[in-house]
Amino acid sequence: MNRPGVAREEHAWDRTIRLWDGYFAVAWAATLAFGLNAAHPGLPVRAVAAALLVPLVPWYAVVGRPLLQEDPPEQGRALRYLAGAMVLFLPSAVLVGETRLMAFALIPQCFMTLHTRWSLAAVTVINLVPVAGWALLWRPGGEDLFGNLLFSVVTLVFSVVIGSWTIRIIEQSMERADLIAELDVSRHEISRLSAAHGALTERERMAREIHDTLAQGFTSLLMLIQAVEAELDHDVPQARRHLALMDETARQNLAEARALVAGAAPADLDGSSLPDALRRLAARHEATLEVQGPVRPLPAAPEVVALRSCQEALANARKHAGSSAAVGIALAYSDDTLTVSVRDDGCGFDPGAPCEGYGLAGLRARAGEVGGTAQIRSAPGDGTTVTVRLPLSLPVSPGRN
């Protein structure tokens, strides 16, 4: 039956209505032929029985056929249609027993248009009333009466069994149509939520990338501008050195912006190793770098996370510990782990206290994306150490140092 999201042409009744038309026509023509050629009663009675069957054709075409295509059929109209069909069929079946063949065309329509209780009642009437009326009218012999009654009872039982099975099939089809419609709605909802989640994830990724690259670069530029303003009057060489560092930072920011737009690797890692990238980063932030373990090429994901984590930790160190604090980077390679630590001897803070900003949360999220962890150790007056541990896959054969 039709449900939201299910097209009408998907249903069996719509695809096979012409088959039902053909079945009705064959059953009607066969009934007419058997009735007219019956041995009993006389021709005038047989002609009357046949004449009663003729209006069944337009009655079916005008009322019954559209009713069979309704989804679901309206019960009041279905009762009126079948009552009219019985008014034409039952007298004919009482007059000429052979016309009871028309019941094979009417019984399926009962199950197709009525609820179970009404359809069983209608089928019982169609099977038993013609035999009872025929017996009362013509007073047949015991053998003929027994044969007709037995045939009628067998036909009734067969109709009930097949009809009940048909109704169950229709109910299952309706349940499956409902389930398919629900699954279709769920699929569209999942697709919508997936797209929304993907967009949110991408926004978060871009926010992290911008925060760890462009925003930190601009922060460094502002700090360098302040330093140059303070040095212009009394330390021009130092001011020139900071101006050169500003130029390098601006160019690096531009390269990072282009890499973000192109979806490429970070500019610092383009064509160089992770230790080389960290050396350049340490030089820009006036920090030291210590490398432990055998340096080897790694998959892109842990190298990017290590670099971004260092950028974030260094920016936080310069922002909160001050430019005078000593900052050091430690990069350690082991068989299955890459560890990067950034430590400073600044004023420190309480890691358990609520904090605003995106930096530390983004740092933990970035490490978690590759199965790693980020740990922040600090205390007021005791400096800060940020340690990021990243799991590694099987080592790649060395190709660069």
Side-chain angles (χ1 to χ4, degrees), residues 48-61:
V48 171
L52 289 172
L53 293 178
V54 171
L56 273 176
V57 175
W59 184 246
Y60 167 78

Side-chain angles (χ1 to χ4, degrees), residues 28 31-36 38 40-41 45-56 84-103 106 126 129-131 133-134 137-138:
W28 180 85
T31 301
L32 200 65
F34 275 99
L36 289 173
H40 177 81
V45 177
R46 298 199 305 270
V48 171
L52 289 172
L53 293 178
V54 171
L56 273 176
M86 288 182 190
V87 167
L88 298 171
F89 164 71
L90 292 178
S92 175
V94 168
L95 291 173
V96 180
E98 284 76 5
T99 59
R100 293 200 295 271
L101 183 64
M102 193 65 198
L106 296 178
I126 290 173
V129 169
V131 176
W134 173 80
L137 178 64
W138 299 111

Side-chain angles (χ1 to χ4, degrees), residues 76-331:
R77 289 183 58 210
L79 287 171
R80 289 192 293 272
Y81 164 69
L82 289 171
M86 288 182 190
V87 167
L88 298 171
F89 164 71
L90 292 178
S92 175
V94 168
L95 291 173
V96 180
E98 284 76 5
T99 59
R100 293 200 295 271
L101 183 64
M102 193 65 198
F104 287 97
L106 296 178
I107 288 173
Q109 296 181 14
C110 296
F111 289 108
M112 291 167 64
T113 58
L114 296 175
H115 294 315
T116 304
R117 182 180 61 182
W118 286 105
S119 63
L120 293 176
V123 167
T124 302
V125 171
I126 290 173
N127 279 283
L128 297 183
V129 169
V131 176
W134 173 80
L136 292 173
L137 178 64
W138 299 111
R139 304 291 180 175
E143 185 176 345
D144 287 342
L145 179 60
F146 177 77
N148 279 270
L149 183 60
L150 180 61
F151 180 80
S152 178
V153 170
V154 171
T155 304
L156 174 61
V157 173
F158 176 79
S159 300
V160 170
V161 171
I162 295 299
S164 301
W165 177 77
T166 302
I167 288 175
R168 181 55 187 155
I169 292 298
I170 293 174
E171 290 175 348
Q172 286 182 345
S173 297
M174 293 172 62
E175 293 171 359
R176 289 171 182 171
D178 288 338
L179 179 59
I180 290 172
E182 291 174 4
L183 290 175
D184 190 53
V185 172
S186 299
R187 180 174 62 83
H188 287 295
E189 181 65 12
I190 290 172
S191 177
R192 184 187 67 80
L193 293 176
S194 178
H197 178 71
L200 178 61
T201 302
E202 181 62 15
R203 283 197 297 270
E204 291 178 348
R205 186 189 72 82
M206 289 300 296
R208 260 197 323 268
E209 294 291 334
I210 292 172
H211 180 273
D212 292 347
T213 56
L214 304 182
Q216 306 297 3
F218 290 135
T219 301
S220 297
L221 286 174
L222 290 174
M223 294 175 62
L224 289 170
I225 289 172
Q226 294 171 357
V228 169
E229 287 178 345
E231 294 163 351
L232 280 176
D233 294 334
H234 62 277
D235 194 349
V236 174
Q238 183 69 3
R240 291 184 181 278
R241 191 176 70 83
H242 281 157
L243 284 173
L245 191 55
M246 287 172 59
D247 178 85
E248 181 184 351
T249 302
R251 292 179 185 277
Q252 187 66 27
N253 250 25
L254 179 60
E256 291 287 2
R258 288 171 175 166
L260 285 177
V261 171
D268 276 328
L269 285 175
D270 187 15
S272 64
S273 66
L274 178 60
D276 290 338
L278 293 184
R279 287 189 187 95
R280 291 192 294 271
L281 184 62
R284 290 198 297 269
H285 288 268
E286 299 180 343
T288 61
L289 173 65
E290 179 184 357
V291 180
Q292 301 173 355
V295 177
R296 62 184 186 277
L298 300 174
E303 288 195 340
V304 171
V305 171
L307 176 62
R308 296 302 192 212
S309 299
C310 272
Q311 289 173 326
E312 171 63 24
L314 287 171
N316 284 339
R318 288 309 179 199
K319 179 180 179 180
H320 299 290
S323 58
S324 61
V327 180
I329 305 171
L331 179 65

